[in-house]
Amino acid sequence: MHGFPLSRRALPALGLGVMAAPARAELARAGFAPDLAEKLAAGLRSGLLRGVHAVLVARHGRVVLAHYGQGADESWGQPLGEVAFGPAVPHDLRSVTKSVVGLLYGIALGRGAVPPPGAPLLAQFPEYADLAADPSRQRLRVANALDMTMGLRWDESRPYTDPANSEIAMENAADRYRFALDRPVEHPPGERWTYSGGAVALLGALIARGTGQPLPDFAQEALFAPLGIEPGGWAAGRDGVPSAASGLRLTAPDLLRIGQVVLQGGMWEGQRVVPAAWLEAMTRPGIPTGDGLRYSHLWYQGGGFVSAYGEPRPWLGANGNGGQRLYLMPAAGLAMACFCGLYNQPEQGATPLRIWREIVLANLLRA
Protein backbone atom coordinates (compact mmCIF):
# COMPACT_ATOMS: atom_id res chain seq x y z
CA MET A 1 0.00 0.00 0.00
CA HIS A 2 1.36 3.38 -1.00
CA GLY A 3 0.69 6.82 0.44
CA PHE A 4 1.85 8.41 3.68
CA PRO A 5 2.18 6.21 6.78
CA LEU A 6 -0.10 7.13 9.65
CA SER A 7 2.72 8.29 11.91
CA ARG A 8 3.62 11.56 13.57
CA ARG A 9 6.86 11.76 11.59
CA ALA A 10 5.10 11.79 8.22
CA LEU A 11 1.86 13.65 8.87
CA PRO A 12 3.26 17.13 9.63
CA ALA A 13 4.55 17.25 6.06
CA LEU A 14 0.97 17.48 4.81
CA GLY A 15 0.40 21.17 4.24
CA LEU A 16 -2.38 23.62 3.44
CA GLY A 17 -4.73 22.79 0.58
CA VAL A 18 -5.41 19.56 -1.29
CA MET A 19 -2.17 17.61 -1.56
CA ALA A 20 -0.40 17.16 -4.86
CA ALA A 21 0.86 13.88 -3.38
CA PRO A 22 0.27 11.01 -3.22
CA ALA A 23 0.53 10.87 -7.01
CA ARG A 24 -2.31 9.65 -9.18
CA ALA A 25 -0.50 6.35 -9.68
CA GLU A 26 -0.21 5.88 -5.92
CA LEU A 27 -3.92 6.56 -5.43
CA ALA A 28 -4.68 3.96 -8.09
CA ARG A 29 -2.43 1.42 -6.35
CA ALA A 30 -4.33 2.14 -3.11
CA GLY A 31 -7.54 1.19 -4.90
CA PHE A 32 -8.91 4.68 -5.55
CA ALA A 33 -9.74 6.57 -8.70
CA PRO A 34 -6.50 8.38 -9.58
CA ASP A 35 -8.31 11.74 -9.73
CA LEU A 36 -9.65 11.48 -6.16
CA ALA A 37 -7.91 14.68 -5.04
CA GLU A 38 -9.19 16.58 -8.07
CA LYS A 39 -12.74 15.48 -7.30
CA LEU A 40 -12.47 16.77 -3.74
CA ALA A 41 -11.04 20.04 -5.05
CA ALA A 42 -13.90 20.39 -7.54
CA GLY A 43 -16.46 19.85 -4.78
CA LEU A 44 -14.82 22.54 -2.69
CA ARG A 45 -14.70 25.01 -5.61
CA SER A 46 -18.34 24.35 -6.48
CA GLY A 47 -19.58 25.42 -3.06
CA LEU A 48 -21.31 22.07 -2.48
CA LEU A 49 -18.77 21.25 0.23
CA ARG A 50 -19.06 24.20 2.59
CA GLY A 51 -17.03 25.14 5.65
CA VAL A 52 -14.39 22.42 5.32
CA HIS A 53 -11.44 22.86 7.66
CA ALA A 54 -9.68 19.53 7.19
CA VAL A 55 -10.12 16.15 5.51
CA LEU A 56 -7.84 13.14 5.95
CA VAL A 57 -8.44 9.75 4.34
CA ALA A 58 -6.40 6.65 5.08
CA ARG A 59 -6.54 3.12 3.75
CA HIS A 60 -4.86 0.24 5.55
CA GLY A 61 -3.08 2.69 7.83
CA ARG A 62 -1.64 5.00 5.16
CA VAL A 63 -2.92 8.48 4.35
CA VAL A 64 -4.02 8.69 0.71
CA LEU A 65 -5.69 12.10 0.70
CA ALA A 66 -5.34 15.23 2.81
CA HIS A 67 -6.84 18.70 2.61
CA TYR A 68 -6.38 21.59 5.01
CA GLY A 69 -8.39 24.76 4.50
CA GLN A 70 -8.89 28.11 6.16
CA GLY A 71 -11.91 29.66 7.82
CA ALA A 72 -13.56 31.10 10.90
CA ASP A 73 -13.48 28.76 13.88
CA GLU A 74 -14.42 28.61 17.52
CA SER A 75 -13.63 26.65 20.66
CA TRP A 76 -16.69 25.55 22.64
CA GLY A 77 -18.59 28.58 21.34
CA GLN A 78 -15.78 31.10 21.82
CA PRO A 79 -14.68 32.69 18.50
CA LEU A 80 -11.11 32.03 17.42
CA GLY A 81 -11.21 34.24 14.34
CA GLU A 82 -9.83 33.16 10.96
CA VAL A 83 -7.67 30.05 11.29
CA ALA A 84 -5.32 28.46 8.76
CA PHE A 85 -5.61 24.75 9.44
CA GLY A 86 -2.83 22.22 9.20
CA PRO A 87 -1.78 18.86 10.64
CA ALA A 88 -0.62 20.42 13.92
CA VAL A 89 -3.68 22.68 14.51
CA PRO A 90 -6.17 21.27 17.05
CA HIS A 91 -9.89 21.50 16.43
CA ASP A 92 -13.01 21.03 18.54
CA LEU A 93 -14.32 17.49 18.23
CA ARG A 94 -17.61 18.44 19.84
CA SER A 95 -19.62 15.23 20.17
CA VAL A 96 -16.98 13.08 18.51
CA THR A 97 -15.69 13.32 22.10
CA LYS A 98 -18.51 10.95 23.07
CA SER A 99 -17.13 8.16 20.89
CA VAL A 100 -13.65 8.67 22.34
CA VAL A 101 -15.21 8.33 25.80
CA GLY A 102 -16.83 5.12 24.59
CA LEU A 103 -13.38 3.69 23.88
CA LEU A 104 -12.11 4.95 27.24
CA TYR A 105 -14.95 3.18 29.03
CA GLY A 106 -14.00 -0.06 27.29
CA ILE A 107 -10.37 0.35 28.32
CA ALA A 108 -11.36 1.09 31.93
CA LEU A 109 -13.70 -1.91 31.92
CA GLY A 110 -10.88 -4.13 30.71
CA ARG A 111 -8.91 -3.00 33.77
CA GLY A 112 -11.81 -3.71 36.11
CA ALA A 113 -12.09 -0.03 37.02
CA VAL A 114 -15.71 0.59 35.97
CA PRO A 115 -18.95 -1.40 36.29
CA PRO A 116 -19.99 -3.65 33.40
CA PRO A 117 -22.86 -2.63 31.08
CA GLY A 118 -25.33 -4.81 32.97
CA ALA A 119 -24.72 -3.10 36.32
CA PRO A 120 -27.47 -0.94 37.85
CA LEU A 121 -26.73 2.67 36.97
CA LEU A 122 -28.06 4.44 40.06
CA ALA A 123 -26.16 2.08 42.34
CA GLN A 124 -23.01 3.75 41.00
CA PHE A 125 -24.22 7.10 42.36
CA PRO A 126 -25.09 6.34 46.01
CA GLU A 127 -25.33 10.06 46.77
CA TYR A 128 -28.70 10.06 44.99
CA ALA A 129 -30.50 7.55 47.17
CA ASP A 130 -33.79 9.36 46.61
CA LEU A 131 -33.56 8.73 42.87
CA ALA A 132 -32.54 5.11 43.40
CA ALA A 133 -35.69 4.62 45.46
CA ASP A 134 -37.88 5.64 42.50
CA PRO A 135 -39.27 2.37 41.02
CA SER A 136 -39.40 3.91 37.53
CA ARG A 137 -35.61 4.40 37.59
CA GLN A 138 -34.54 1.13 39.17
CA ARG A 139 -34.24 -0.65 35.81
CA LEU A 140 -31.61 1.79 34.55
CA ARG A 141 -28.35 0.05 33.64
CA VAL A 142 -24.94 1.33 32.60
CA ALA A 143 -25.75 -0.05 29.14
CA ASN A 144 -28.59 2.46 28.85
CA ALA A 145 -26.09 5.28 29.20
CA LEU A 146 -23.71 3.66 26.71
CA ASP A 147 -26.47 3.27 24.13
CA MET A 148 -28.46 6.43 25.03
CA THR A 149 -31.58 4.43 25.89
CA MET A 150 -32.16 5.78 29.39
CA GLY A 151 -35.77 6.72 28.68
CA LEU A 152 -35.39 10.08 30.42
CA ARG A 153 -36.52 13.38 28.91
CA TRP A 154 -33.62 15.05 27.09
CA ASP A 155 -33.68 17.60 24.29
CA GLU A 156 -30.58 18.60 22.35
CA SER A 157 -32.54 19.56 19.24
CA ARG A 158 -32.25 23.22 20.22
CA PRO A 159 -29.10 25.17 19.27
CA TYR A 160 -26.25 24.85 21.73
CA THR A 161 -26.47 28.60 22.20
CA ASP A 162 -29.89 28.09 23.79
CA PRO A 163 -29.84 27.62 27.60
CA ALA A 164 -32.91 25.38 27.23
CA ASN A 165 -30.80 22.84 25.33
CA SER A 166 -30.48 19.96 27.79
CA GLU A 167 -26.70 19.69 27.52
CA ILE A 168 -26.26 23.42 28.11
CA ALA A 169 -28.73 23.27 31.00
CA MET A 170 -26.69 20.43 32.49
CA GLU A 171 -23.50 22.48 32.14
CA ASN A 172 -25.22 25.33 33.98
CA ALA A 173 -26.69 23.11 36.71
CA ALA A 174 -25.33 23.06 40.25
CA ASP A 175 -24.93 19.27 40.04
CA ARG A 176 -24.58 17.89 36.52
CA TYR A 177 -25.03 14.25 37.53
CA ARG A 178 -28.22 14.81 39.48
CA PHE A 179 -29.49 16.90 36.57
CA ALA A 180 -28.84 14.02 34.16
CA LEU A 181 -30.41 11.37 36.41
CA ASP A 182 -33.52 13.17 37.65
CA ARG A 183 -35.04 14.10 34.28
CA PRO A 184 -38.66 12.97 33.94
CA VAL A 185 -39.11 9.34 32.89
CA GLU A 186 -40.68 9.13 29.43
CA HIS A 187 -40.01 5.52 28.33
CA PRO A 188 -38.84 2.27 29.89
CA PRO A 189 -35.03 1.95 29.73
CA GLY A 190 -33.76 0.30 26.56
CA GLU A 191 -36.89 0.96 24.54
CA ARG A 192 -35.94 4.06 22.54
CA TRP A 193 -32.83 5.99 21.57
CA THR A 194 -32.65 9.61 22.72
CA TYR A 195 -29.51 11.60 22.00
CA SER A 196 -28.11 12.61 25.39
CA GLY A 197 -24.96 14.35 26.50
CA GLY A 198 -26.16 13.65 30.02
CA ALA A 199 -25.70 9.92 29.52
CA VAL A 200 -22.07 10.50 28.54
CA ALA A 201 -21.47 12.82 31.50
CA LEU A 202 -22.47 9.94 33.77
CA LEU A 203 -20.05 7.60 32.00
CA GLY A 204 -17.28 10.17 32.33
CA ALA A 205 -17.95 10.28 36.06
CA LEU A 206 -17.75 6.49 36.34
CA ILE A 207 -14.41 6.49 34.52
CA ALA A 208 -12.99 9.24 36.74
CA ARG A 209 -14.24 7.65 39.94
CA GLY A 210 -13.19 4.14 38.99
CA THR A 211 -9.71 5.00 37.77
CA GLY A 212 -9.03 7.66 40.38
CA GLN A 213 -8.00 10.07 37.62
CA PRO A 214 -9.72 13.04 35.98
CA LEU A 215 -11.08 11.98 32.60
CA PRO A 216 -8.40 13.81 30.55
CA ASP A 217 -5.62 12.27 32.65
CA PHE A 218 -6.96 8.76 32.17
CA ALA A 219 -7.39 9.43 28.45
CA GLN A 220 -3.78 10.57 28.23
CA GLU A 221 -2.42 7.53 30.05
CA ALA A 222 -4.66 4.87 28.53
CA LEU A 223 -5.27 6.02 24.94
CA PHE A 224 -3.46 9.15 23.82
CA ALA A 225 0.08 8.35 24.99
CA PRO A 226 0.10 4.83 23.48
CA LEU A 227 -1.01 6.30 20.13
CA GLY A 228 1.41 9.22 20.25
CA ILE A 229 -1.41 11.76 20.52
CA GLU A 230 -0.97 15.20 22.06
CA PRO A 231 -4.45 16.61 22.80
CA GLY A 232 -5.09 20.28 22.21
CA GLY A 233 -7.21 20.69 25.32
CA TRP A 234 -10.35 19.39 27.03
CA ALA A 235 -12.99 22.02 27.88
CA ALA A 236 -14.59 22.00 31.32
CA GLY A 237 -17.90 23.35 32.55
CA ARG A 238 -18.47 26.00 35.18
CA ASP A 239 -18.02 23.36 37.86
CA GLY A 240 -14.54 22.55 36.55
CA VAL A 241 -15.57 19.08 35.35
CA PRO A 242 -14.21 18.21 31.88
CA SER A 243 -17.07 17.74 29.43
CA ALA A 244 -17.28 14.07 28.46
CA ALA A 245 -19.94 14.96 25.92
CA SER A 246 -18.14 17.55 23.80
CA GLY A 247 -14.96 19.00 25.29
CA LEU A 248 -12.02 17.37 23.50
CA ARG A 249 -9.73 19.08 20.96
CA LEU A 250 -7.44 17.08 18.66
CA THR A 251 -5.65 17.51 15.37
CA ALA A 252 -7.01 15.73 12.31
CA PRO A 253 -4.08 13.26 12.20
CA ASP A 254 -4.65 12.40 15.86
CA LEU A 255 -8.35 11.77 15.29
CA LEU A 256 -7.49 9.58 12.32
CA ARG A 257 -5.10 7.66 14.54
CA ILE A 258 -7.95 6.91 16.97
CA GLY A 259 -9.93 5.56 14.04
CA GLN A 260 -7.02 3.44 12.97
CA VAL A 261 -6.68 1.72 16.34
CA VAL A 262 -10.35 0.71 16.03
CA LEU A 263 -9.75 -0.64 12.52
CA GLN A 264 -6.77 -2.60 13.86
CA GLY A 265 -8.93 -4.36 16.43
CA GLY A 266 -7.63 -2.28 19.32
CA MET A 267 -3.94 -2.89 18.57
CA TRP A 268 -1.26 -0.23 18.02
CA GLU A 269 2.35 -1.03 17.16
CA GLY A 270 1.98 -4.52 18.57
CA GLN A 271 0.40 -3.41 21.85
CA ARG A 272 -3.18 -3.94 23.00
CA VAL A 273 -4.82 -0.54 23.62
CA VAL A 274 -8.59 -1.21 23.42
CA PRO A 275 -9.97 -4.61 24.48
CA ALA A 276 -11.08 -6.71 21.53
CA ALA A 277 -14.23 -7.78 23.38
CA TRP A 278 -15.27 -4.14 23.72
CA LEU A 279 -14.85 -3.47 20.00
CA GLU A 280 -16.78 -6.62 19.21
CA ALA A 281 -19.66 -5.45 21.40
CA MET A 282 -19.42 -1.95 19.92
CA THR A 283 -19.92 -3.28 16.39
CA ARG A 284 -22.91 -5.53 17.08
CA PRO A 285 -26.13 -4.05 15.66
CA GLY A 286 -27.25 -1.34 18.05
CA ILE A 287 -30.46 0.52 18.79
CA PRO A 288 -32.13 2.25 15.80
CA THR A 289 -31.79 6.03 15.92
CA GLY A 290 -34.81 6.69 13.72
CA ASP A 291 -32.89 8.03 10.71
CA GLY A 292 -31.61 4.79 9.20
CA LEU A 293 -28.63 4.48 11.54
CA ARG A 294 -28.00 2.47 14.69
CA TYR A 295 -26.10 3.32 17.87
CA SER A 296 -24.00 1.25 20.23
CA HIS A 297 -21.43 2.08 22.92
CA LEU A 298 -21.41 5.77 21.87
CA TRP A 299 -20.74 5.02 18.17
CA TYR A 300 -23.06 5.32 15.19
CA GLN A 301 -23.48 2.41 12.80
CA GLY A 302 -24.45 2.87 9.17
CA GLY A 303 -23.85 1.56 5.69
CA GLY A 304 -22.72 3.03 2.38
CA PHE A 305 -22.50 1.86 -1.20
CA VAL A 306 -18.92 1.18 -2.26
CA SER A 307 -18.01 0.97 -5.93
CA ALA A 308 -15.29 -1.59 -5.21
CA TYR A 309 -17.85 -4.04 -3.83
CA GLY A 310 -20.86 -3.15 -5.91
CA GLU A 311 -23.01 -3.03 -2.78
CA PRO A 312 -23.18 -1.33 0.63
CA ARG A 313 -20.71 -2.11 3.39
CA PRO A 314 -21.14 -1.25 7.11
CA TRP A 315 -19.37 1.70 8.67
CA LEU A 316 -18.85 3.14 12.14
CA GLY A 317 -19.17 6.84 12.78
CA ALA A 318 -18.43 9.47 15.40
CA ASN A 319 -20.41 12.70 14.86
CA GLY A 320 -19.92 16.20 16.25
CA ASN A 321 -21.70 19.53 15.95
CA GLY A 322 -20.55 21.66 13.03
CA GLY A 323 -19.59 18.77 10.76
CA GLN A 324 -16.92 17.00 12.82
CA ARG A 325 -16.75 13.37 11.74
CA LEU A 326 -14.77 10.18 11.98
CA TYR A 327 -15.95 7.49 9.57
CA LEU A 328 -14.55 3.95 9.60
CA MET A 329 -15.25 1.09 7.18
CA PRO A 330 -13.54 -2.00 8.59
CA ALA A 331 -14.21 -4.20 5.54
CA ALA A 332 -12.22 -1.78 3.37
CA GLY A 333 -9.58 -0.76 5.93
CA LEU A 334 -10.82 2.78 5.40
CA ALA A 335 -10.85 5.80 7.73
CA MET A 336 -11.83 9.44 7.17
CA ALA A 337 -11.49 12.34 9.60
CA CYS A 338 -13.27 15.58 8.75
CA PHE A 339 -13.41 18.95 10.49
CA CYS A 340 -15.83 21.72 9.49
CA GLY A 341 -16.91 25.09 10.83
CA LEU A 342 -20.67 24.73 10.36
CA TYR A 343 -21.51 24.95 14.07
CA ASN A 344 -25.25 24.94 14.83
CA GLN A 345 -26.16 25.21 11.13
CA PRO A 346 -29.06 23.06 9.93
CA GLU A 347 -27.09 21.57 7.01
CA GLN A 348 -23.96 20.85 9.07
CA GLY A 349 -24.04 17.11 8.40
CA ALA A 350 -24.33 17.38 4.62
CA THR A 351 -20.72 18.29 3.85
CA PRO A 352 -18.91 15.44 5.65
CA LEU A 353 -21.49 12.90 4.47
CA ARG A 354 -21.07 14.02 0.86
CA ILE A 355 -17.30 13.73 1.10
CA TRP A 356 -17.61 10.25 2.62
CA ARG A 357 -20.25 8.89 0.25
CA GLU A 358 -19.77 10.76 -3.01
CA ILE A 359 -16.00 11.23 -3.05
CA VAL A 360 -14.39 8.58 -0.86
CA LEU A 361 -16.69 5.56 -1.12
CA ALA A 362 -17.79 6.27 -4.69
CA ASN A 363 -14.16 6.45 -5.83
CA LEU A 364 -12.86 3.37 -4.04
CA LEU A 365 -12.66 1.12 -7.09
CA ARG A 366 -10.70 -1.89 -5.86
CA ALA A 367 -11.39 -3.99 -2.78
Side-chain angles (χ1 to χ4, degrees):
M1 179 63 63
H2 292 256
F4 292 93
L6 195 58
S7 69
R8 185 167 293 281
R9 290 188 299 276
L11 284 170
L14 307 183
L16 185 67
V18 177
M19 295 192 314
R24 292 166 66 92
E26 290 181 331
L27 276 165
R29 283 193 290 269
F32 286 95
D35 60 348
L36 181 68
E38 290 95 322
K39 288 175 177 175
L40 175 60
L44 293 167
R45 286 194 303 270
S46 72
L48 289 175
L49 304 177
R50 296 181 51 247
V52 177
H53 290 168
V55 177
L56 282 182
V57 178
R59 191 168 196 212
H60 302 309
R62 300 183 73 86
V63 174
V64 296
L65 180 67
H67 164 82
Y68 292 101
Q70 183 167 325
D73 199 24
E74 60 182 56
S75 177
W76 235 37
Q78 299 302 311
L80 297 176
E82 193 80 1
V83 177
F85 295 95
V89 178
H91 198 284
D92 270 17
L93 298 192
R94 298 298 171 94
S95 289
V96 173
T97 305
K98 294 177 171 68
S99 300
V100 176
V101 170
L103 298 179
L104 293 174
Y105 199 91
I107 296 170
L109 179 63
R111 298 181 179 187
V114 293
L121 181 59
L122 279 163
Q124 316 310 317
F125 295 89
E127 63 268 40
Y128 308 129
D130 58 321
L131 299 178
D134 180 353
S136 66
R137 301 175 197 272
Q138 290 174 355
R139 290 174 52 195
L140 280 169
R141 297 292 182 265
V142 171
N144 300 130
L146 286 163
D147 296 341
M148 295 191 183
T149 58
M150 294 175 64
L152 305 181
R153 183 181 301 165
W154 197 269
D155 182 8
E156 291 191 43
S157 64
R158 299 169 180 266
Y160 289 91
T161 53
D162 186 341
N165 177 297
S166 294
E167 183 177 337
I168 302 305
M170 175 182 68
E171 291 293 341
N172 291 332
D175 182 340
R176 65 176 60 223
Y177 307 125
R178 173 174 281 279
F179 182 90
L181 286 166
D182 77 352
R183 298 302 89 199
V185 176
E186 291 191 330
H187 310 288
E191 185 177 272
R192 299 187 188 183
W193 183 81
T194 300
Y195 187 75
S196 171
V200 189
L202 297 171
L203 296 168
L206 295 183
I207 294 171
R209 294 177 183 191
T211 64
Q213 302 179 70
L215 184 62
D217 292 357
F218 178 71
Q220 179 64 34
E221 178 261 311
L223 182 61
F224 298 157
L227 271 58
I229 290 173
E230 299 171 5
W234 199 314
R238 295 181 180 180
D239 55 4
V241 176
S243 173
S246 61
L248 182 57
R249 288 175 64 82
L250 294 179
T251 66
D254 284 346
L255 179 59
L256 198 66
R257 201 171 280 112
I258 287 174
Q260 192 62 37
V261 79
V262 174
L263 291 179
Q264 293 172 182
M267 301 295 293
W268 189 263
E269 297 182 347
Q271 301 297 316
R272 168 67 58 191
V273 178
V274 184
W278 184 260
L279 296 179
E280 181 183 354
M282 191 177 90
T283 53
R284 293 188 198 119
I287 185 82
T289 61
D291 57 359
L293 304 179
R294 290 179 177 271
Y295 198 80
S296 177
H297 292 51
L298 304 184
W299 285 76
Y300 291 92
Q301 302 169 341
F305 181 86
V306 189
S307 297
Y309 301 101
E311 61 183 4
R313 284 289 190 272
W315 53 254
L316 296 171
N319 295 3
N321 180 280
Q324 323 321 320
R325 294 293 188 272
L326 176 61
Y327 288 122
L328 307 174
M329 184 170 280
L334 193 60
M336 185 187 96
C338 182
F339 293 154
C340 297
L342 305 173
Y343 305 106
N344 295 315
Q345 297 187 30
E347 74 280 15
Q348 60 183 284
T351 287
L353 192 57
R354 281 175 175 159
I355 296 172
W356 176 239
R357 286 181 174 174
E358 300 169 24
I359 294 178
V360 177
L361 299 185
N363 288 283
L364 180 59
L365 305 181
R366 193 178 72 248

